[in-house]
Amino acid sequence: MAFLLSQDEALRWRLQFVDRQVVAPLPGGDGQVMAAGRLLATTSVEFYDRRDAQYWPLYRHGPLWLDLAEGRDLALRLAALIRGEVDGFAFRSAIAPEIGWKLGGSESGEVVVELGFDLAPMLGGAAGRPVAPGRNLALYRFATNQAALVAFGDRL
């Protein structure tokens, strides 16, 4: 489980890869064999409650599927941000387009984290009726620091 703490440690983003499904290996372009498949993950935004010294979910997304290549791409983009090769990056899965993440530096030297969730899949299931995508959104935004970013990347 990887979690990214806010600067004041009052919020954290949790991303956990739960399982990996691999389809038949496919021949790669350079003679290597590439595995095709997907990753099962769960993600949440949590707040710290000092009374019981635990983090509790503000929002927890249901099962999240990522293509294996997307998971690899997320890790590579995060590593490039940590090394200072890029100022930031945005990530949105082709399999789960209802979630988007954006990480980037600011003028103050902090790393700004933006986590966007389209609530339509959750609300539609709960309401028992169709809910149009893009009309019910949640955005969480917080600042973090380089040390927290490195710890997140290490656990990811």
Side-chain angles (χ1 to χ4, degrees), residues 14 67 73 93 111 117 128 143:
R14 187 174 66 88
D67 183 270
D73 184 48
S93 170
V111 177
F117 302 95

Side-chain angles (χ1 to χ4, degrees), residues 31-144:
Q32 296 181 348
V33 176
M34 302 289 290
R38 59 187 188 165
L39 298 167
L40 173 61
T42 181
T43 188
S44 61
V45 177
E46 302 169 342
F47 73 95
Y48 184 75
D49 187 342
R50 65 176 170 77
R51 293 171 292 190
D52 55 7
Q54 290 187 24
Y55 282 90
W56 294 94
L58 285 170
Y59 175 75
R60 180 177 290 153
H61 191 74
L64 169 64
W65 291 102
L66 298 175
D67 183 270
L68 279 177
E70 290 176 331
R72 200 174 307 115
D73 184 48
L74 176 62
L76 291 173
R77 288 181 184 197
L78 183 60
L81 179 62
I82 290 169
R83 288 191 302 267
E85 296 171 359
V86 296
D87 292 332
F89 70 91
F91 179 84
R92 189 168 177 188
S93 170
I95 297 175
E98 69 271 12
I99 294 177
W101 304 314
K102 183 178 175 185
L103 289 82
S106 70
E107 289 130 18
S108 64
E110 300 172 324
V111 177
V112 176
V113 179
E114 294 180 343
L115 310 167
F117 302 95
D118 186 343
L119 303 177
M122 180 192 71
L123 294 175
R129 64 181 86 159
V131 175
R135 294 185 178 228
N136 299 284
L137 307 174
L139 174 67
Y140 297 93
R141 184 176 196 217
F142 61 88
T144 191

